[in-house]
Amino acid sequence: MSDFIDAYKQFFESVTPAINTTYSEREQADKFSREHWDILSKIGLQAGTLNENSGGKNLDFKQYGSVLRQLGFYCHDNGLNFSVMAHALACTMPIEKFGTSPEIKNLVKNFAAGKLILCNGMTESQGGSDANNMVTTAERTANGYKINGHKSFCTNGPVADYCLTYAVTDKEKGFFGGITAFLIDLKANGVKKEQAFAKMGLRTATACRINFDNVLVPDAYVLGQPGAGGLMFQESMVYEKSFMAACHTGTLHRWLNEMVDFCKKRRFNQQPLIKQQSISHMLAEVKIDLETAQALVDRAIAQLNGKNISRKIEAAAVVKYFVSNTMTKNAHAYLKLMAGEGYKAGSACEIQLRDFMASTSYSGTNEIQKNIIASVF
């Protein structure tokens, strides 16, 4: 395992200086970088845990979690990291598992290599995180399904080639049984991408609304069985919550290192800041949060190998809730420590704070995570 970690560490140390150098400019310009996306694709980040036959690196869950933790530690571009994970976790991994047709199997290697970019289509403007309020429909035809509706907040949408989309096929059956998953070519007739959103943070992860007007999807591009989309989405969110939290713990580890280094160099009353008890106690709290977050990530990832679906869902909800709250809490602590320097527009601290304000909302709001956790009682 140590040789494996060292190999990825060397890769990140070699490529992230260039990514980080231009990050502030790209962030201010709301610019997604295909160049840097392609750099990260060289080590299979977009492939998730896919095997070699599907174009992946054959990483197990623990190994992939370790890789994403290093990504968060070394790569300061949170938007790029978010784009990669949205592609891999919410799209590539479930598509590889549930897509059985030769047409989809042929596409999977391009998704795994990052040559084709994916976006996820679940959220809708009127429903937000309430997937039961879905209005996008898929009507059975002689040649497949006709999709009508829209998806909002599609991360990677403006640059995506395909969209993993969920639509209602049987309203009476509800979310589990009445939702089906489709892989939609975004060049198909009837697909219209709206203008990319201007966002508070994660600006290098571009997102938009996508409209579907009588979009014909052949049967070969149905994922899993008709009606099984709800279960498929549920599984994809377990991946997304668990592994995204792994990446975030890497980022928090970097913040702690930066905060400690700053407090050793900055002086107050002729002594380093770190000698001030209030400061050292604040750093101790960050360390405690980091250790707790890492333990919860390890627990959630370990559950992925088990057969108990309820435990997987609960562990993913717990780690998502705790880590996202921890990131927002400690982004504020970082800003408080840096004071005026951190408050400057474009400073690393200011960007990190804006980026992680979204963490309590994506992958399902934290209120929804509490609903999931409470359901096991």
Side-chain angles (χ1 to χ4, degrees):
M1 186 70 171
S2 60
D3 291 342
F4 162 82
I5 292 174
D6 287 343
Y8 277 89
K9 178 181 178 181
Q10 290 174 11
F11 174 83
F12 285 121
E13 287 179 338
S14 68
V15 303
T16 53
I19 295 175
N20 296 339
T21 299
T22 59
Y23 173 39
S24 180
E25 291 79 6
R26 287 184 287 106
E27 198 271 343
Q28 292 179 40
D30 290 10
K31 184 179 179 182
F32 169 82
S33 173
R34 184 60 187 255
E35 175 189 357
H36 295 131
W37 168 278
D38 289 341
I39 289 172
L40 295 181
S41 71
K42 293 178 181 178
I43 54 167
L45 283 179
Q46 287 89 334
T49 57
L50 270 59
N51 59 42
E52 292 179 356
N53 290 334
S54 296
K57 298 292 185 181
N58 207 34
L59 303 179
D60 60 32
F61 291 136
K62 184 176 180 180
Q63 288 173 327
Y64 191 52
S66 175
V67 170
L68 291 181
R69 190 171 288 170
Q70 291 188 66
L71 175 67
F73 183 86
Y74 287 104
C75 185
H76 299 188
D77 188 343
N78 302 311
L80 178 62
N81 297 347
F82 189 75
S83 289
V84 166
M85 290 186 289
H87 171 100
L89 305 173
C91 301
T92 302
M93 289 171 62
I95 287 172
E96 191 273 340
K97 181 174 181 178
F98 295 99
T100 58
S101 70
E103 289 86 345
I104 289 181
K105 293 296 184 184
N106 287 335
L107 286 169
V108 164
K109 287 187 177 181
N110 288 318
F111 299 148
K115 293 179 180 178
L116 294 174
I117 298 178
L118 288 159
C119 66
N120 186 49
M122 170 56 80
T123 302
E124 297 178 356
S125 299
Q126 80 293 332
S129 293
D130 181 10
N132 290 308
N133 197 26
M134 186 182 299
V135 298
T136 298
T137 60
E139 180 185 353
R140 194 76 177 89
T141 70
N143 300 315
Y145 287 83
K146 189 180 294 184
I147 311 294
N148 281 285
H150 78 278
K151 298 297 174 178
S152 191
F153 291 99
C154 298
T155 298
N156 296 332
V159 296
D161 301 287
Y162 285 83
C163 181
L164 172 54
T165 301
Y166 298 86
V168 177
T169 46
D170 190 333
K171 189 173 183 179
E172 297 301 318
K173 291 183 178 179
F175 187 72
F176 293 108
I179 303 293
T180 302
F182 302 89
L183 183 62
I184 298 181
D185 185 341
L186 294 180
K187 297 188 296 294
N189 291 333
V191 175
K192 181 181 180 182
K193 297 180 183 181
E194 295 191 6
Q195 186 174 356
F197 298 139
K199 307 194 304 298
M200 174 192 292
L202 297 173
R203 293 175 176 175
T204 57
T206 187
C208 70
R209 169 172 164 149
I210 302 176
N211 300 308
F212 304 109
D213 183 11
N214 288 325
V215 178
L216 183 62
V217 180
D219 288 327
Y221 292 85
V222 176
L223 294 163
Q225 296 297 317
L231 289 171
M232 178 178 158
F233 177 74
Q234 184 180 64
E235 182 170 328
S236 73
M237 286 299 99
V238 169
Y239 292 144
E240 183 168 287
K241 294 171 191 176
S242 302
F243 286 115
M244 201 168 283
C247 183
H248 292 350
T249 60
T251 303
L252 183 59
H253 191 178
R254 169 165 49 82
W255 288 358
L256 178 59
N257 288 357
E258 292 170 352
M259 293 165 78
V260 169
D261 185 58
F262 175 81
C263 290
K264 286 181 177 179
K265 293 177 180 178
R266 192 69 170 254
R267 304 183 74 82
F268 180 76
N269 285 341
Q270 307 304 314
Q271 284 192 322
L273 276 182
I274 203 164
K275 296 295 185 180
Q276 302 292 321
Q277 187 178 71
S278 60
I279 298 296
S280 62
H281 281 190
M282 182 185 71
L283 296 174
E285 289 183 10
V286 180
K287 174 68 171 174
I288 293 167
D289 285 343
L290 174 61
E291 294 288 344
T292 306
Q294 289 176 337
L296 289 174
V297 166
D298 291 342
R299 171 180 175 262
I301 290 177
Q303 292 289 345
L304 297 178
N305 288 310
K307 295 183 179 180
N308 191 314
I309 296 174
S310 295
R311 287 182 182 175
K312 294 181 186 181
I313 295 170
E314 182 264 345
V318 168
V319 75
K320 194 275 178 184
Y321 179 89
F322 181 82
V323 172
S324 60
N325 278 343
T326 294
M327 295 306 289
T328 55
K329 167 190 168 184
N330 287 297
H332 280 94
Y334 198 178
L335 176 63
K336 183 178 179 181
L337 179 65
M338 296 297 293
E341 289 300 315
Y343 197 68
K344 289 180 179 177
S347 71
C349 183
E350 182 260 350
I351 292 173
Q352 300 292 320
L353 176 61
R354 286 191 286 100
D355 282 347
F356 282 95
M357 289 299 291
S359 65
T360 58
S361 296
Y362 53 66
S363 305
T365 66
N366 277 10
E367 286 68 31
I368 286 178
Q369 306 315 310
K370 287 190 284 189
N371 287 344
I372 293 171
I373 296 164
S375 69
V376 305
F377 299 147

